Each structure stands twice: as C-alpha cells, then as structure tokens.
Amino acid sequence: MRNITITYKTKQFKILLKRYLSIAVKNEKGVVAVIVAFAMVAILGMAALSLDMGTAYLSMGKMQKAIDAAAYSAGRQLPVRVDDYYAINAIKEKAAQYASINGCDTLSASDVTLGGAVFDYYTNIQIQTQGSVDTSFARIFGVDSLDFTKKAMVKMSAIEQTTGLTPLGVEKVEFQQIVQKQLTDGIQKAVLKNSAGGGIGPFYSILDYDGKGGQGVDYSRDLGPLGYTGVVKVNDILFKGFGAKVGISNEIYEAHACPHYPACTPENYVYGCPSILKIPVYTVVDKKTIRVDGFAAFLLQPRTEEEKSSDAIVGIYVKSLSTGTASGGDVTESDFNWLQTLMLVE
C-alpha cells in the first residue's frame, strides 16, 4: 500500500462499532451474535477494500506508464541551457501534453522539474504528480477515496556502446579542439573526410569496422543509412582503412540526406535525423589501429564546389542524443560532449 492514502469523510462506522460493543458488554445476551455480525462486517469490509485497492493499483500503473512516456518524450529536448526559459517551458508543456495523450490529465507544467546542470545545461527531467481514485464498496465504511503520488525521472548518460555508426572518425585531440572552437568562435564546419588530405585525424580514409580490409562493399554498406550494423564499444580496437576511397562522399550524402523541411540545422534539428552521423572519437594506437574513447554526432553540411572536387565530407558537431547502451552514470564535465542517450531511472 505504499504511496496510497485512505481518505475518510465520516466516522459513522467507528461510532457505531463502539456503541454496539458497549451495549453487548453491559448485557451479555447476544454477545456472540454481535461479535459474529461485526466479524462478518469486517471480513466483507476487507474484501470491499481489496477490490478498491486493486482498482487503485491499476490506476497507479496507468499513471506511471503515462508519466514515464511523458518524461522520456520531453527528455529528447535535452540538454537545454539553464537560462533558455522558452525551451524549458516548451519541455514542461510537452511533458504535460504527452501525459494527457496517454491518459494522465492531472499532470501540469508545474509538476515538471529540470536538473542535473553541467556547464549551464540541464541534463535530467523529473516529474511528480498526484492521483486519486474514488472508492465504490469501501464507501459504506467511510473510505471515500484512495490518494497516491507517482514519480518519473529521465537523465542523459554517456553512451558506452552503440550501433549504426558511420565509418568515419575524429581523433580525440581534434574533437576537443572542435568543441572548444565552437564555444569561443561559434559554429564551425569540420572536414570529416577528404581524399586530398586535411580530414580531422592522422589518416584520411574511413574506418574498417569488421577488420577485413579493402572490401569496397563493406564501406558502401557502412556508409548507408543504417551505418555499421555491428556493436562498437568504448575501448574497442578498430582498424584504419587505407587509401583515399575517392567517390564515397557522394554516396554518404545521398544515403544520409535530410528528409525534413526546412532542413535540419545545428540550432534546430529533428531527433534521429539521418543527416546526423554517429562516429567514434578515438586515440591512435599504432599505424594500423585506433582505440575508441567515446562517440560523437556531426550534422552533415552542404559542400562548396571546392569541397565537392576534393571528395570532402563536411559536418558540424552537435550535442545530439542517440540510441545505445548508457554508462549508467550522471553526465559529468569530462563526458558532457560525448554522444548521450536517455535513461529512465525512476
């Protein structure tokens, strides 16, 4: 019965019980009959209350599912700046809207709280709301309603393994410079791959996820809209691909074209848009291999004629959420810029 409060509006049953027991004690005649009668009433009362409790638990389960869905749907807008009041209010309203769609009409924007601030960005959403179920059978005993409280919370957590990766990569040092430059100088385009050299890494080809090497069909598959279908984990050792692989940029731009209108931008993009590329961030191990440190998201950008002629793939780093297995921890300053996923934790 945790989180359930039984509300009484009358004390009639208690007064009645006290009165009849007092009479029975003074006049011993019929004591057994009175006790049996009240025992039957108590048993029937327990049965009635059990039925009402069952109804209450069904309502609690329905409300929990509704606010879980509301928290998760609204959480897709994370992270959000702590001073972006318009976005914060939009998240709260969206949570209330999704709860209503799923049958919970009691949730209001005031029941939604954002927290877990890192670098002035909120990274979690908490919901707490009240519910009440009117009783049917238990009303004869003065129990008019069963009240309860339900909570839900989602948080961002760094992805430690995922699938659907594009076979491009960015060296960790370069990635940190890109993030820092965007903070100081605004949004910056980054060359993810360039057949003439100049990509963000010590090599200018693409990653060989399965380690077979040199198989053009593998690269075409991994550059497609689904990306690499295998699982890649933090600390995995991956093989570098060699050779310029001229011509693949057109393939990736076709496979990952943005289907939305207006087209997604770094400031306003749709969750899960195919133009957002998931790529590993790595440290070089040796001439042939790299070690995965984390994952990042880059939004494909239109190319200049010069970039097209050099077979370049160009993107802008975005703080996007994605699917994958979470580390389970809260977002910290050290992993804030990694690719994150949402966790339902309460």
CSV table of all heavy atoms in Angstrom, one decimal, residues 24-53:
chain,number,residue,atom,x,y,z
A,24,ALA,N,-23.2,-4.6,24.2
A,24,ALA,CA,-23.0,-6.1,24.3
A,24,ALA,C,-22.3,-6.4,25.6
A,24,ALA,O,-22.6,-7.4,26.3
A,24,ALA,CB,-22.2,-6.6,23.1
A,25,VAL,N,-21.4,-5.6,26.0
A,25,VAL,CA,-20.6,-5.8,27.2
A,25,VAL,C,-21.5,-5.7,28.5
A,25,VAL,O,-21.5,-6.4,29.4
A,25,VAL,CB,-19.4,-4.8,27.3
A,25,VAL,CG1,-18.8,-4.9,28.7
A,25,VAL,CG2,-18.4,-5.2,26.3
A,26,LYS,N,-22.4,-4.7,28.5
A,26,LYS,CA,-23.3,-4.4,29.6
A,26,LYS,C,-24.4,-5.5,29.7
A,26,LYS,O,-24.8,-5.9,30.8
A,26,LYS,CB,-24.0,-3.1,29.4
A,26,LYS,CG,-23.0,-1.9,29.7
A,26,LYS,CD,-23.8,-0.6,29.5
A,26,LYS,CE,-22.8,0.6,29.7
A,26,LYS,NZ,-23.5,1.9,29.5
A,27,ASN,N,-24.9,-6.0,28.5
A,27,ASN,CA,-25.9,-7.0,28.5
A,27,ASN,C,-25.3,-8.2,27.8
A,27,ASN,O,-25.2,-8.2,26.6
A,27,ASN,CB,-27.1,-6.5,27.8
A,27,ASN,CG,-28.3,-7.5,27.8
A,27,ASN,OD1,-28.1,-8.5,28.4
A,27,ASN,ND2,-29.4,-7.1,27.2
A,28,GLU,N,-24.9,-9.2,28.5
A,28,GLU,CA,-24.2,-10.4,28.0
A,28,GLU,C,-25.0,-11.2,27.0
A,28,GLU,O,-24.4,-12.0,26.2
A,28,GLU,CB,-23.7,-11.3,29.1
A,28,GLU,CG,-22.7,-10.6,30.0
A,28,GLU,CD,-22.3,-11.6,31.1
A,28,GLU,OE1,-22.8,-12.7,31.1
A,28,GLU,OE2,-21.4,-11.2,32.0
A,29,LYS,N,-26.3,-11.0,26.9
A,29,LYS,CA,-27.1,-11.7,26.0
A,29,LYS,C,-26.8,-11.3,24.6
A,29,LYS,O,-26.8,-10.1,24.3
A,29,LYS,CB,-28.6,-11.5,26.2
A,29,LYS,CG,-29.1,-12.0,27.6
A,29,LYS,CD,-30.6,-11.7,27.8
A,29,LYS,CE,-31.1,-12.2,29.1
A,29,LYS,NZ,-32.5,-12.0,29.3
A,30,GLY,N,-26.6,-12.3,23.7
A,30,GLY,CA,-26.3,-12.0,22.3
A,30,GLY,C,-24.9,-11.5,22.0
A,30,GLY,O,-24.7,-11.0,20.9
A,31,VAL,N,-24.0,-11.6,23.0
A,31,VAL,CA,-22.7,-11.2,22.7
A,31,VAL,C,-22.0,-11.8,21.5
A,31,VAL,O,-21.4,-11.2,20.7
A,31,VAL,CB,-21.8,-11.3,24.0
A,31,VAL,CG1,-20.3,-11.1,23.7
A,31,VAL,CG2,-22.3,-10.5,25.1
A,32,VAL,N,-22.2,-13.2,21.5
A,32,VAL,CA,-21.6,-13.9,20.4
A,32,VAL,C,-22.2,-13.5,19.0
A,32,VAL,O,-21.4,-13.3,18.0
A,32,VAL,CB,-21.8,-15.4,20.6
A,32,VAL,CG1,-21.3,-16.2,19.4
A,32,VAL,CG2,-21.1,-15.9,21.8
A,33,ALA,N,-23.5,-13.3,19.0
A,33,ALA,CA,-24.1,-12.9,17.7
A,33,ALA,C,-23.6,-11.6,17.3
A,33,ALA,O,-23.3,-11.3,16.1
A,33,ALA,CB,-25.6,-12.9,17.9
A,34,VAL,N,-23.4,-10.6,18.3
A,34,VAL,CA,-22.9,-9.3,17.9
A,34,VAL,C,-21.5,-9.4,17.4
A,34,VAL,O,-21.1,-8.8,16.4
A,34,VAL,CB,-23.0,-8.4,19.1
A,34,VAL,CG1,-22.3,-7.1,18.8
A,34,VAL,CG2,-24.4,-8.1,19.5
A,35,ILE,N,-20.7,-10.2,18.0
A,35,ILE,CA,-19.3,-10.4,17.6
A,35,ILE,C,-19.2,-11.0,16.2
A,35,ILE,O,-18.4,-10.5,15.4
A,35,ILE,CB,-18.5,-11.2,18.6
A,35,ILE,CG1,-18.3,-10.4,20.0
A,35,ILE,CG2,-17.1,-11.6,18.1
A,35,ILE,CD1,-17.7,-11.3,21.1
A,36,VAL,N,-20.0,-12.0,16.0
A,36,VAL,CA,-20.0,-12.7,14.7
A,36,VAL,C,-20.5,-11.7,13.6
A,36,VAL,O,-19.9,-11.6,12.5
A,36,VAL,CB,-20.9,-13.9,14.7
A,36,VAL,CG1,-21.1,-14.5,13.3
A,36,VAL,CG2,-20.3,-15.0,15.6
A,37,ALA,N,-21.5,-10.9,14.0
A,37,ALA,CA,-22.0,-10.0,13.0
A,37,ALA,C,-21.0,-8.9,12.6
A,37,ALA,O,-20.8,-8.6,11.4
A,37,ALA,CB,-23.2,-9.2,13.6
A,38,PHE,N,-20.3,-8.4,13.6
A,38,PHE,CA,-19.2,-7.4,13.3
A,38,PHE,C,-18.0,-8.1,12.6
A,38,PHE,O,-17.3,-7.4,11.8
A,38,PHE,CB,-18.8,-6.7,14.6
A,38,PHE,CG,-19.7,-5.5,14.9
A,38,PHE,CD1,-20.7,-5.7,15.9
A,38,PHE,CD2,-19.7,-4.4,14.2
A,38,PHE,CE1,-21.6,-4.6,16.2
A,38,PHE,CE2,-20.5,-3.3,14.5
A,38,PHE,CZ,-21.5,-3.4,15.5
A,39,ALA,N,-17.7,-9.3,13.0
A,39,ALA,CA,-16.7,-10.0,12.3
A,39,ALA,C,-17.0,-10.2,10.8
A,39,ALA,O,-16.1,-10.0,9.9
A,39,ALA,CB,-16.4,-11.4,12.9
A,40,MET,N,-18.2,-10.5,10.5
A,40,MET,CA,-18.7,-10.7,9.1
A,40,MET,C,-18.6,-9.3,8.4
A,40,MET,O,-18.1,-9.2,7.2
A,40,MET,CB,-20.1,-11.2,9.0
A,40,MET,CG,-20.2,-12.7,9.4
A,40,MET,SD,-19.3,-13.7,8.3
A,40,MET,CE,-20.1,-13.5,6.8
A,41,VAL,N,-19.0,-8.2,9.1
A,41,VAL,CA,-18.9,-6.9,8.5
A,41,VAL,C,-17.4,-6.6,8.2
A,41,VAL,O,-17.1,-6.0,7.2
A,41,VAL,CB,-19.5,-5.9,9.5
A,41,VAL,CG1,-19.2,-4.5,8.9
A,41,VAL,CG2,-21.0,-6.1,9.5
A,42,ALA,N,-16.5,-6.9,9.2
A,42,ALA,CA,-15.1,-6.6,9.0
A,42,ALA,C,-14.5,-7.4,7.8
A,42,ALA,O,-13.8,-6.9,7.0
A,42,ALA,CB,-14.3,-7.0,10.3
A,43,ILE,N,-14.9,-8.7,7.7
A,43,ILE,CA,-14.4,-9.5,6.6
A,43,ILE,C,-14.9,-9.0,5.3
A,43,ILE,O,-14.1,-8.8,4.3
A,43,ILE,CB,-14.9,-11.0,6.8
A,43,ILE,CG1,-14.2,-11.6,8.0
A,43,ILE,CG2,-14.6,-11.8,5.5
A,43,ILE,CD1,-14.7,-12.9,8.4
A,44,LEU,N,-16.2,-8.6,5.2
A,44,LEU,CA,-16.7,-8.1,4.0
A,44,LEU,C,-16.1,-6.7,3.7
A,44,LEU,O,-15.9,-6.4,2.5
A,44,LEU,CB,-18.3,-7.9,4.1
A,44,LEU,CG,-19.1,-9.2,4.2
A,44,LEU,CD1,-20.5,-8.9,4.4
A,44,LEU,CD2,-18.9,-10.0,2.8
A,45,GLY,N,-15.8,-6.0,4.7
A,45,GLY,CA,-15.2,-4.7,4.5
A,45,GLY,C,-13.8,-4.8,4.0
A,45,GLY,O,-13.4,-4.1,3.1
A,46,MET,N,-13.0,-5.8,4.4
A,46,MET,CA,-11.7,-6.1,3.9
A,46,MET,C,-11.7,-6.5,2.4
A,46,MET,O,-10.9,-6.1,1.6
A,46,MET,CB,-11.0,-7.1,4.8
A,46,MET,CG,-10.6,-6.7,6.2
A,46,MET,SD,-9.9,-8.0,7.2
A,46,MET,CE,-8.5,-8.4,6.2
A,47,ALA,N,-12.8,-7.3,2.1
A,47,ALA,CA,-12.9,-7.7,0.8
A,47,ALA,C,-13.2,-6.6,-0.1
A,47,ALA,O,-12.7,-6.4,-1.2
A,47,ALA,CB,-14.0,-8.8,0.7
A,48,ALA,N,-14.1,-5.7,0.4
A,48,ALA,CA,-14.5,-4.5,-0.4
A,48,ALA,C,-13.3,-3.6,-0.6
A,48,ALA,O,-13.1,-3.1,-1.7
A,48,ALA,CB,-15.6,-3.7,0.3
A,49,LEU,N,-12.6,-3.4,0.5
A,49,LEU,CA,-11.4,-2.5,0.4
A,49,LEU,C,-10.3,-3.1,-0.6
A,49,LEU,O,-9.7,-2.4,-1.3
A,49,LEU,CB,-10.8,-2.3,1.8
A,49,LEU,CG,-9.6,-1.3,1.9
A,49,LEU,CD1,-10.1,0.1,1.4
A,49,LEU,CD2,-9.1,-1.2,3.3
A,50,SER,N,-10.2,-4.5,-0.6
A,50,SER,CA,-9.3,-5.1,-1.5
A,50,SER,C,-9.7,-4.9,-3.0
A,50,SER,O,-8.8,-4.6,-3.8
A,50,SER,CB,-9.3,-6.6,-1.2
A,50,SER,OG,-8.8,-6.9,0.0
A,51,LEU,N,-10.9,-4.9,-3.3
A,51,LEU,CA,-11.4,-4.6,-4.6
A,51,LEU,C,-11.1,-3.2,-5.0
A,51,LEU,O,-10.6,-2.9,-6.1
A,51,LEU,CB,-12.9,-4.9,-4.7
A,51,LEU,CG,-13.4,-6.3,-4.7
A,51,LEU,CD1,-14.9,-6.4,-4.6
A,51,LEU,CD2,-12.8,-7.1,-5.9
A,52,ASP,N,-11.3,-2.3,-4.1
A,52,ASP,CA,-11.0,-0.8,-4.4
A,52,ASP,C,-9.5,-0.6,-4.5
A,52,ASP,O,-9.0,0.2,-5.3
A,52,ASP,CB,-11.6,0.0,-3.3
A,52,ASP,CG,-13.1,0.2,-3.4
A,52,ASP,OD1,-13.6,0.2,-4.6
A,52,ASP,OD2,-13.8,0.3,-2.4
A,53,MET,N,-8.7,-1.3,-3.6
A,53,MET,CA,-7.3,-1.2,-3.7
A,53,MET,C,-6.7,-1.7,-5.1
A,53,MET,O,-5.8,-1.2,-5.7
A,53,MET,CB,-6.6,-2.0,-2.6
A,53,MET,CG,-6.8,-1.4,-1.2
A,53,MET,SD,-5.8,0.1,-1.0
A,53,MET,CE,-4.2,-0.5,-1.0
